[in-house]
Amino acid sequence: MKGLFCRAGATDAEPKFVIQETTLPDVLTSYQVRVQVKACGLSPLDLKLLSDVGIQRDLIPVGREVAGVVLQVGPKVTFFQPEDEVVGILPLDSTCSGLCDVVDIDEHYLVQKPEKLSSVCVAAALRDGLSAYTALHTHARIAAGHTLLVMDGGSSFGLMCIQLACYHGVKVLTTSHSPQQHTFLEQVRPSVARVIPVYNNSSDLLPVVLEETGGLGVDIVIDSGVCLQEEEEEEKKFLPHKHDIISVLGVGGHWVTSHQDLQLDPPDCRLLHLKSASVSFLNPEVWTASSAQQGRYLHILKDIVEKMSTGVLRPQPEEAVPLYEATVVMETVQRHPKKKAVIQL
């Protein structure tokens, strides 16, 4: 059977994506589940992260968010049986590509998929749902009455954060990166308190946030990247400056950042100290990179798919593409990390 793999190039070279033949072992290990894949979400590969955790291969499997049907279970599997519909994220060190017809995965990385939830929908949105849940619950510990600022609310991740926060009674402010996105966010239900356009002038952010919060600032900021210097790239020019984010935080506020290489200068730290505010780094890969909180991870996955099934989380629909277009689509996803794609098998 065929799967999609990444052939990592030299340090500066772009990775190459290739479809290769691959096989599975004849016998499952004790806790493994063999799943026939129905849909697989594509997300950008973090080659530096893989290197940092010691995963170095000539061919790196691509496609980890999978939805499918159980074909066979190992002798000690207790959670699933054949013909169960399941969804999960393959671990970082998996040797299987999620775009194979059949994959082997440990039962502790899977949860049951509600019958009325489509495989394409859940495979496309599972990663962003996990990231939003991790940011809001694990890091920010949201509660009713909090005020939240979501940067780039029109992205798949931003939309998940908005919907999850609104469900918990949080007042949500968000930013838009285009007139079309602004219109879309104003029509989102449940509605956000304010959509702040930053495509004309990002300097509007601080006064609008202070106006909405009575001059107190927000309890939580979730970004999707930070501008450390003047950016020329189209995708990065709307990113907020770190000083703007710190300025909109209220006393005791919490900033959840996706920026891996964030650098805080002494004046930035001083301002955070004056506000008794905190910063945490969002890396949803920790759930599968470590088994320290496996039960909590499964609880989160189960809650996400249930909320998708009941309509609490309503991801933007992604058009499924066939397997033969996977290499071209993955190259686009790798170059533009905010783009989403899902392959239907």
Side-chain angles (χ1 to χ4, degrees):
M1 62 184 174
K2 291 182 167 63
L4 183 64
F5 294 83
C6 170
R7 183 177 282 123
T11 308
D12 299 328
E14 281 196 4
K16 303 285 185 188
F17 296 98
V18 293
I19 290 180
Q20 294 269 46
E21 285 288 338
T22 183
T23 56
L24 293 176
D26 293 333
V27 181
L28 292 172
T29 60
S30 296
Y31 295 99
Q32 276 190 328
V33 176
R34 185 156 289 176
V35 177
Q36 181 178 6
V37 180
K38 298 294 185 184
C40 175
L42 294 181
S43 301
L45 275 180
D46 189 339
L47 297 173
K48 188 174 185 306
L49 173 66
L50 292 172
S51 175
D52 288 343
V53 297
I55 299 173
Q56 294 180 328
R57 299 192 184 106
D58 293 333
L59 291 173
I60 300 166
V62 175
R64 293 174 46 222
E65 303 95 79
V66 296
V69 178
V70 175
L71 296 176
Q72 187 181 346
V73 298
K76 294 186 178 179
V77 171
T78 56
F79 293 170
F80 306 104
Q81 56 190 19
E83 298 187 11
D84 282 351
E85 292 191 86
V86 293
V87 59
I89 300 177
L90 296 170
L92 281 171
D93 61 353
S94 172
T95 56
C96 293
S97 162
L99 275 73
C100 294
D101 292 333
V102 179
V103 297
D104 290 347
I105 179 172
D106 193 287
E107 68 170 335
H108 301 106
Y109 294 113
L110 294 170
V111 293
Q112 298 272 4
K113 181 181 78 67
E115 190 176 341
K116 63 180 181 180
L117 185 61
S118 84
S119 296
V120 169
C121 174
V122 72
L126 187 63
R127 184 185 179 88
D128 288 315
L130 177 63
S131 297
Y133 208 110
T134 305
L136 291 170
H137 288 286
T138 309
H139 290 302
R141 304 197 180 279
I142 58 164
H146 278 163
T147 306
L148 166 70
L149 172 61
V150 178
M151 310 305 294
D152 190 13
S155 65
S156 178
F157 167 63
L159 187 61
M160 286 288 198
C161 287
I162 290 170
Q163 292 172 347
L164 193 56
C166 288
Y167 172 77
H168 287 287
V170 173
K171 178 180 179 180
V172 180
L173 314 176
T174 189
T175 62
S176 59
H177 289 184
S178 69
Q180 296 81 5
Q181 204 182 78
H182 190 88
T183 303
F184 167 74
L185 288 169
E186 286 189 325
Q187 295 171 349
V188 165
R189 294 292 179 270
S191 59
V192 298
R194 184 80 173 262
V195 182
I196 307 165
V198 295
Y199 46 88
N200 293 326
N201 188 353
S202 61
S203 63
D204 293 342
L205 183 64
L206 180 57
V208 173
V209 169
L210 293 179
E211 177 192 333
E212 282 290 332
T213 58
L216 297 176
V218 296
D219 299 298
I220 305 158
V221 176
I222 296 178
D223 71 39
S224 55
V226 179
C227 173
L228 300 179
Q229 56 202 9
E230 291 300 318
E231 296 283 0
E232 298 297 328
E233 293 180 49
E234 184 68 27
E235 287 190 354
K236 294 183 178 179
K237 68 180 183 180
F238 297 134
L239 292 178
H241 194 275
K242 58 185 177 180
H243 184 74
D244 293 336
I245 291 181
I246 296 171
S247 298
V248 301
L249 276 176
V251 171
H254 196 86
W255 172 15
V256 182
T257 182
S258 301
H259 198 98
Q260 298 180 16
D261 304 316
L262 180 68
Q263 296 177 350
L264 294 178
D265 300 318
D268 301 323
C269 295
R270 179 66 182 161
L271 188 51
L272 284 167
H273 170 74
L274 288 171
K275 296 186 175 195
S276 192
S278 57
V279 182
S280 61
F281 291 85
L282 176 61
N283 175 18
E285 297 294 0
V286 295
W287 295 112
T288 57
S290 168
S291 59
Q293 300 191 52
Q294 198 76 49
R296 190 175 184 187
Y297 170 60
L298 287 177
H299 170 79
I300 290 171
L301 283 189
K302 186 176 180 181
D303 201 36
I304 290 166
V305 296
E306 284 178 355
K307 281 183 167 59
M308 285 188 197
S309 167
T310 56
V312 172
L313 295 178
R314 299 176 306 285
Q316 290 176 279
E318 296 289 342
E319 186 177 346
V321 295
L323 180 60
Y324 63 82
E325 293 183 16
T327 51
V328 176
V329 170
M330 188 60 205
E331 285 169 2
T332 305
V333 169
Q334 189 71 16
R335 283 196 299 268
H336 307 283
K338 289 186 182 179
K339 288 191 179 295
K340 308 303 296 180
V342 60
I343 307 294
Q344 188 165 19
L345 284 80

